[in-house]
Amino acid sequence: MKVASDASACSSLTGVDELTYLAGFFDGEGSIMLGRRYHTPKHDLRLSVTQLDPEPLKLFSRRWGGSIGKVTKKGSRTVWRWYASAGIAEKALCDLAPYLVVKRHAAEAALRFRRCTPRGVSTARYVEAEAAFRSVLDAAGDYRIKAT
């Protein structure tokens, strides 16, 4: 019996099947972060998913946009990363949240943060906003603060 490759299995997913697959994938491999916007003093919601095979990440990109990039670190394997920020990240989390298990609480907290600060938050208010974001998460601390 021939087993389909990940690429062909991924391309055959549609609708709710695709969304539940992406939610499970995000639960295991994804990150929810607050990060600094490039070239501005503002911070905003960011999502990323890292994987050795770029094919599953193309589903994230096709569904919501964002970017896929190759990440190479000296002495480590090359990996691929899908990342999204601001409105794209918010839309992805809105769609994924009902299907998340591990990261549901963090997703809900991130969505509350984004709705309270739709254009990001200035560096001056970032510490306060990050503390509020952190305070609604459980002790597992399912979040990351990206260094600025």
Side-chain angles (χ1 to χ4, degrees):
M1 176 168 72
K2 185 177 179 186
V3 177
S5 71
D6 278 349
S8 64
C10 287
S11 65
S12 66
L13 295 172
T14 58
V16 175
D17 288 340
E18 181 182 75
L19 194 53
T20 55
Y21 172 78
L22 292 172
F25 204 92
F26 187 82
D27 252 347
E29 305 297 332
S31 295
I32 300 170
M33 302 165 277
L34 299 181
R36 186 167 176 254
R37 288 184 181 180
Y38 295 108
H39 309 295
T40 73
K42 301 253 183 191
H43 291 74
D44 210 337
L45 174 63
R46 291 179 180 259
L47 303 179
S48 73
V49 181
T50 304
Q51 178 69 11
L52 290 172
D53 181 356
E55 288 305 315
L57 303 181
K58 292 176 183 176
L59 292 173
F60 285 90
S61 183
R62 186 175 69 229
R63 189 167 190 113
W64 294 292
S67 300
I68 297 174
K70 191 175 185 179
V71 180
T72 306
K73 293 183 182 178
K74 188 176 181 180
S76 296
R77 293 166 133 182
T78 297
V79 296
W80 295 87
R81 181 173 295 144
W82 171 78
Y83 51 96
S85 60
I88 293 172
E90 180 180 12
K91 174 65 174 135
L93 274 186
C94 282
D95 292 349
L96 292 169
Y99 304 98
L100 294 174
V101 176
V102 177
K103 291 181 171 66
R104 178 177 286 181
H105 194 70
E108 290 168 353
L111 289 170
R112 282 195 300 273
F113 169 84
R114 175 75 179 148
R115 288 180 184 130
C116 292
T117 59
R119 295 182 183 254
V121 61
S122 68
T123 301
R125 289 188 46 228
Y126 175 66
V127 173
E128 177 185 331
E130 185 273 329
F133 179 62
R134 185 186 303 201
S135 71
V136 297
L137 298 177
D138 59 15
D142 189 12
Y143 70 96
R144 259 192 232 171
I145 303 302
K146 189 171 181 164
T148 58

